[in-house]
Amino acid sequence: MSAPNCLRCLVRPSTAIPLAIPRQASPLVAPFAPFSTTTATAAKKEVKGHVRGGKKLVLGKFKKNKVESRVRPPGPGERKAYRKRITLSNDNAIQVPWLTDMGPGSLLDTANVAKVLALPEEVQDQLRASEAFKTTQSWKMFRKPSVLVRTETVDLMNRIQGAVEKRQTLRVAITGDKVAGKSMMLLQAMSHAYLNNWIVIHVPEAHELTTACTDYAPIPGTEPPQYTQPTYALKLIHAIKKANEKILAKTYTVSAHPELPQNIPANTPLLAIANAAKEADGAWAVFHALWNELTAQGANRPPILLSLDGLAHVMKTSDYRAPGFDRIHAHDLSLVRLFAEALGGGVQFPNGGAVLGATSRSNTPRAPSMELALAQREAEQRHADPAEVPQKDAFFRGYDERVEAVLRSVQVLRLGGVSKLEARAVMEYWAASGMLRAAVDEKTVTEKWALGSGVLGEMERASLLTMRI
Amino acid sequence: MASSKQGLSSALRGVSRTLSGKQWQPLEQQFQSLRLSPSLAQGVRCMSTEPTEPAFTDSLPPISAAEIDTKSLSKRLRLAEHARALPVSPSYFSRTPSFNDRYLALEKLMKSYGNLPVVPAADAERVAWKTLSDLRLSIGEPVKATDYVKCLAVVKRLHQIHPELKPTAIDHALGDFKREVQAFLNTPNPIPIDKLGRALGVGRRKTSTARAFVVEGEGKVLVNGKSLADYFGRVHDRESAVWALHAAGRLDKYNVWARVEGGGTTGQAEALTLAIAKALLAHEPALKPALRRAGTVTRDPRRVERKKHGKVKARKAPAWVKR
């Protein structure tokens, strides 16, 4: 007896080949036999089923072959570098003849209000190192980076200077409208600090610390557990070192630091500590040592300016997770904690200084406690009627006590529109640079001032960034 | 009865020969539409259709005469043997008699009063005259366009006569050429300036409504409690919102406090344009020509076009499918 299938054929015999048993009873007469004499099998051969005539549907008929791009694709990181690039000079812009450089005391002088001052080359480098310039600011339109001195600028600088003279720490939260110049105020404070040989530690974007985009590690033996961000700490040390190199070289340690990867004895320049940070691993230890040295009481230290942009990001729970998958509060991240303590008044700088935190109005999270605290401080500063001081909403749970504690005693500087005099000064600068092609008179100034509601960024949008042909 | 009627009609036509029935029947009908002058009754030989008074004072339109009671008439009066019927209007046999009558009356007036002093056309009272189609409808005659133009030129010239010297006859004659609804008589209520120096203007565009309080100031603008830059993210919208002030060069002279409702950003901004312009005109009415040139006086009537059946949107046709 032969097998029903060929042994080599591995198709299941049950499905593939209907052999002996036909599914239907075979008809007596072949269905399509042209003649009665034609056999059924022959008739079946003739008919191949339905024969399609005419056009056939061809899909993708009009799709052309892809043209091979001959352009080199941008390398990894190239696009981002282009996006983040900061251009501080425009050769096509006209040099403004009457522009003067900022000096150490320029920002303290009331006579400089409503004047545009240029940043000296050296300060430009320092500011660039500490990432004080932003891509959203239109530095690239002018020959030389320059800033408008506002009434608020002189006021704030005088307050900082007064605090430094008294060896105190001024703690200010800068807030205000969108594109009102909050980051620019930080930049001015930093330029003032650099010109006066202070130490500047600047966190350019607070969200880099809290949106879980940089690595973190717990610090053993801390309760509640704290976390370091080694890579960011390393980056920050490099920025501090590059920006404050001269002063760090002239400032000496008061104690030895055997815990660092490189042994640092007492009376070594602080620059050596900063140089000790080569890898992310030991970066936090180095930063901690540097910070301890800078804030060592009784030592001869320059005044310190500690600033942070994007305050709301550090005044809430961060996106980092603890091992139990709970959210880590931003104040449990060691770098943020350091800033929060300083802003809350927990750190006394040996020779005085300032802690500035600027809120941001773009890509910023809601921080209800911070908003409430700032509104309350503002009302207190105005000596408002106690009934007018905003109070907590009793039915809202999102308040944060740690944030409230930090912001309990800060001063608030609210930035809004500039005066028409200041608007005129900045517009004259634009016109002298060849960027504003209109006569700067009362009419133009009022028009742009009204269109932007006096807010500098909006005025800039209305007159420089909107194309008119 | 019939024979007497026939006799009368032939007498009226001044025809001594009796006409056969077939010939006089339509004429008889025609005479019914004529008005007999009262002078007929006094045995005047020629029945003139010319009215004793000038045509323009006769406000009543010509009406067909009542059927003449010939029996009683022949009893009371001795009828003229050879009376010839003349139509009331000299233009009776033209295609447009009533129009021509009016035109002739106007020309007559022009002849008599054409030398009166006139005021410049711009200073004359603004009147909406009937358009050609309006005139055709009201008179019910196929008035020619060229005649209409000529007639209206006379109308306008007569209208220009100094109002203190203008005879009432002219006003009567021109009355037929005025439109029923005089849009120029609708004057908007003047916007008052309240004791705080505010003028409230209301403007609309698309589905937005804006109310703007304009007060003398230094160029501050608040829209729904926010600054202009806060409320309108787009620079173009900000510009259109204060365009009236900008065009008049008054941006630094007034403050604006506005409330806007409904619609989108563009609609709201352009509703504000109109509202601010109106309120500004309350402060300075002399700015109207300048603002009109800037395009901020007239309300833009355009709305979203309605969707039609068989279409995807108002106009967009569905994609063509082969069967």
Side-chain angles (χ1 to χ4, degrees):
Chain A
M1 192 184 155
S2 64
N5 281 342
C6 168
L7 284 172
R8 282 178 190 169
C9 180
L10 296 175
V11 179
R12 281 171 69 193
S14 57
T15 55
I17 307 151
L19 280 174
I21 312 142
R23 291 278 158 86
Q24 298 167 342
S26 56
L28 290 174
V29 183
F32 300 109
F35 306 109
S36 60
T37 48
T38 318
T39 57
T41 45
K44 250 186 186 171
K45 244 183 191 175
E46 292 276 318
V47 182
K48 286 180 184 172
H50 179 67
V51 178
R52 215 178 251 279
K55 278 184 180 176
K56 274 187 182 175
L57 178 69
V58 184
L59 288 172
K61 194 163 53 173
F62 302 108
K63 242 182 211 172
K64 284 174 190 161
N65 290 333
K66 267 192 179 176
V67 181
E68 278 293 312
S69 172
R70 284 173 200 165
V71 185
R72 183 184 61 86
E78 201 172 312
R79 283 206 186 104
K80 185 173 184 183
Y82 185 78
R83 209 171 62 229
K84 301 271 176 189
R85 185 188 52 160
I86 286 175
T87 316
L88 290 183
S89 178
N90 175 11
D91 286 346
N92 292 323
I94 303 166
Q95 197 147 24
V96 183
W98 39 263
L99 197 64
T100 51
D101 271 4
M102 198 186 279
S106 296
L107 296 184
L108 300 171
D109 191 357
T110 330
N112 279 334
V113 170
K115 271 189 188 165
V116 176
L117 296 178
L119 298 170
E121 297 279 332
E122 210 177 321
V123 176
Q124 280 178 39
D125 293 342
Q126 288 172 313
L127 289 172
R128 193 196 270 275
S130 47
E131 294 181 48
F133 299 113
K134 295 194 169 190
T135 45
T136 49
Q137 299 162 344
S138 34
W139 302 107
K140 61 181 169 212
M141 300 184 102
F142 303 100
R143 179 61 77 101
K144 201 171 180 197
S146 320
V147 289
L148 171 74
V149 184
R150 302 168 60 162
T151 326
E152 290 92 341
T153 314
V154 173
D155 178 44
L156 180 67
M157 297 314 144
N158 275 315
R159 271 154 69 191
I160 295 176
Q161 194 68 30
V164 166
E165 276 160 17
K166 285 186 230 158
R167 300 193 170 195
Q168 286 171 349
T169 310
L170 185 79
R171 293 169 290 122
V172 179
I174 301 170
T175 186
D177 297 335
K178 202 168 84 179
V179 288
K182 300 179 287 293
S183 301
M184 200 59 87
M185 188 60 76
L186 283 187
L187 183 137
Q188 287 176 339
M190 287 162 71
S191 343
H192 180 74
Y194 285 130
L195 283 167
N196 288 290
N197 295 324
W198 301 358
I199 295 270
V200 176
I201 299 174
H202 179 57
V203 179
E205 294 287 354
H207 70 78
E208 287 177 4
L209 282 170
T210 55
T211 52
C213 58
T214 177
D215 54 343
Y216 69 120
I219 303 176
T222 45
E223 188 56 41
Q226 289 172 28
Y227 298 83
T228 61
Q229 286 153 302
T231 312
Y232 194 88
L234 182 67
K235 192 189 129 197
L236 192 59
I237 293 169
H238 284 323
I240 294 169
K241 190 182 78 183
K242 204 172 171 195
N244 304 290
E245 202 156 12
K246 271 188 191 166
I247 309 143
L248 287 177
K250 282 190 275 178
T251 316
Y252 297 92
T253 53
V254 285
S255 54
H257 293 277
E259 78 281 6
L260 296 186
Q262 202 175 323
N263 190 16
I264 308 281
N267 215 17
T268 322
L270 289 186
L271 194 59
I273 300 186
N275 279 332
K278 304 277 191 221
E279 285 173 8
D281 278 352
W284 171 246
V286 172
F287 187 84
H288 197 59
L290 188 62
W291 179 250
N292 283 342
E293 280 295 336
L294 284 172
T295 54
Q297 296 298 323
N300 184 23
R301 296 282 178 251
I304 297 170
L305 176 69
L306 180 60
S307 56
L308 176 136
D309 205 344
L311 195 61
H313 283 282
V314 295
M315 291 298 164
K316 62 187 265 291
T317 319
S318 77
D319 291 344
Y320 287 106
R321 300 280 182 171
F325 207 63
D326 303 318
R327 287 274 183 86
I328 299 172
H329 194 279
H331 292 183
D332 285 337
L333 301 167
S334 54
L335 266 171
V336 177
R337 188 186 192 87
L338 192 139
F339 175 80
E341 270 179 12
L343 189 65
V347 182
Q348 278 302 317
F349 296 146
N351 244 340
V355 184
L356 304 180
T359 60
S360 171
R361 287 290 299 275
S362 55
N363 184 27
T364 188
R366 285 290 314 278
S369 286
M370 186 196 78
E371 286 162 21
L372 178 73
L374 293 187
Q376 284 173 341
R377 297 300 92 74
E378 223 180 345
E380 285 162 15
Q381 265 169 236
R382 280 203 307 268
H383 304 294
D385 191 16
E388 285 174 22
V389 175
Q391 296 300 325
K392 271 188 183 178
D393 179 4
F395 299 99
F396 181 64
R397 294 192 300 180
Y399 293 117
D400 192 341
E401 283 173 9
R402 297 175 77 172
V403 171
E404 282 161 24
V406 164
L407 297 174
R408 197 151 284 153
S409 59
V410 291
Q411 297 177 23
V412 176
L413 173 66
R414 180 167 288 278
L415 290 179
V418 294
S419 69
K420 276 194 192 169
L421 195 69
E422 290 160 351
R424 189 179 187 117
V426 80
M427 283 179 75
E428 271 168 4
Y429 169 69
W430 292 343
S433 299
M435 287 295 129
L436 180 72
R437 293 165 67 184
V440 181
D441 51 7
E442 192 61 39
K443 194 169 161 263
T444 334
V445 172
T446 314
E447 184 204 326
K448 301 296 177 199
W449 184 82
L451 284 182
S453 309
V455 173
L456 269 176
E458 295 292 354
M459 283 175 60
E460 193 177 77
R461 261 184 81 193
S463 36
L464 300 187
L465 306 179
T466 311
M467 190 70 125
R468 289 185 181 283
I469 299 168
Chain B
M1 173 76 191
S3 65
S4 67
K5 215 179 198 176
Q6 189 183 346
L8 175 73
S9 57
S10 55
L12 285 172
R13 272 178 278 127
V15 181
S16 52
R17 191 165 49 89
T18 316
L19 295 167
S20 66
K22 269 186 186 173
Q23 275 170 320
W24 63 258
Q25 199 70 33
L27 277 174
E28 181 105 332
Q29 281 171 1
Q30 276 191 6
F31 282 130
Q32 292 214 338
S33 69
L34 288 180
R35 191 172 51 155
L36 284 177
S37 151
S39 58
L40 172 71
Q42 287 145 29
V44 180
R45 184 180 164 79
C46 173
M47 283 198 312
S48 170
T49 55
E50 177 81 8
T52 46
E53 292 156 355
F56 50 80
T57 52
D58 195 356
S59 58
L60 287 171
I63 45 164
S64 60
E67 199 175 352
I68 301 164
D69 191 2
T70 44
K71 248 185 196 170
S72 58
L73 206 66
S74 56
K75 269 180 200 165
R76 284 192 285 119
L77 307 160
R78 207 185 110 253
L79 288 174
E81 286 283 320
H82 304 290
R84 185 159 56 88
L86 281 182
V88 177
S89 155
S91 52
Y92 177 75
F93 293 106
S94 70
R95 219 171 143 226
T96 55
S98 54
F99 171 73
N100 284 346
D101 278 350
R102 290 182 172 102
Y103 189 15
L104 290 174
L106 286 175
E107 290 214 313
K108 201 171 174 188
L109 284 170
M110 191 65 198
K111 230 174 238 173
S112 8
Y113 300 120
N115 292 331
L116 288 179
V118 291
V119 292
D123 293 350
E125 182 203 355
R126 289 196 74 185
V127 172
W129 303 111
K130 275 178 185 162
T131 59
L132 178 58
S133 51
D134 283 349
L135 193 71
R136 279 174 179 164
L137 263 178
S138 64
I139 298 179
E141 289 172 354
V143 181
K144 272 188 180 176
T146 45
D147 293 344
Y148 166 77
V149 170
K150 283 177 200 159
C151 182
L152 212 67
V154 181
V155 165
K156 285 180 179 167
R157 173 62 183 72
L158 283 174
H159 181 66
Q160 249 178 280
I161 290 176
H162 199 285
E164 285 181 10
L165 305 171
K166 199 192 280 179
T168 45
I170 293 184
D171 286 335
H172 278 296
L174 296 188
D176 287 341
F177 291 89
K178 286 182 179 172
R179 273 198 221 165
E180 307 267 315
V181 179
Q182 287 294 321
F184 296 117
L185 296 178
N186 297 339
T187 44
N189 293 334
I191 297 173
I193 295 174
D194 65 10
K195 61 182 176 185
L196 299 171
R198 301 172 300 188
L200 168 63
V202 179
R204 293 191 182 85
R205 168 88 170 93
K206 292 188 181 178
T207 50
S208 311
T209 310
R211 283 175 290 150
F213 290 87
V214 173
V215 64
E216 284 182 27
E218 67 271 19
K220 287 180 182 167
V221 183
L222 274 185
V223 183
N224 286 359
K226 289 180 178 177
S227 71
L228 194 62
D230 258 4
Y231 195 76
F232 293 115
R234 203 168 151 237
V235 176
H236 186 275
D237 286 340
R238 285 176 212 165
E239 280 185 351
S240 31
V242 293
W243 190 251
L245 291 170
H246 177 261
R250 297 291 192 276
L251 206 44
D252 52 342
K253 304 282 192 294
Y254 293 96
N255 286 352
V256 178
W257 188 95
R259 273 201 86 79
V260 204
E261 286 165 5
T265 46
T266 309
Q268 291 196 337
E270 289 176 17
L272 260 177
T273 316
L274 195 59
I276 293 175
K278 281 186 186 172
L280 179 61
L281 282 180
H283 284 282
E284 294 181 63
L287 286 178
K288 190 156 187 176
L291 290 184
R292 189 176 287 289
R293 266 178 269 125
T296 61
V297 175
T298 313
R299 196 244 203 249
D300 191 342
R302 290 175 296 174
R303 318 278 318 242
V304 173
E305 189 176 336
R306 66 151 288 191
K307 186 199 173 299
K308 279 90 176 177
H309 58 262
K311 300 270 183 181
V312 184
K313 303 199 287 179
R315 311 262 177 110
K316 185 187 180 187
W320 183 81
V321 182
K322 186 183 180 188
R323 278 170 294 277

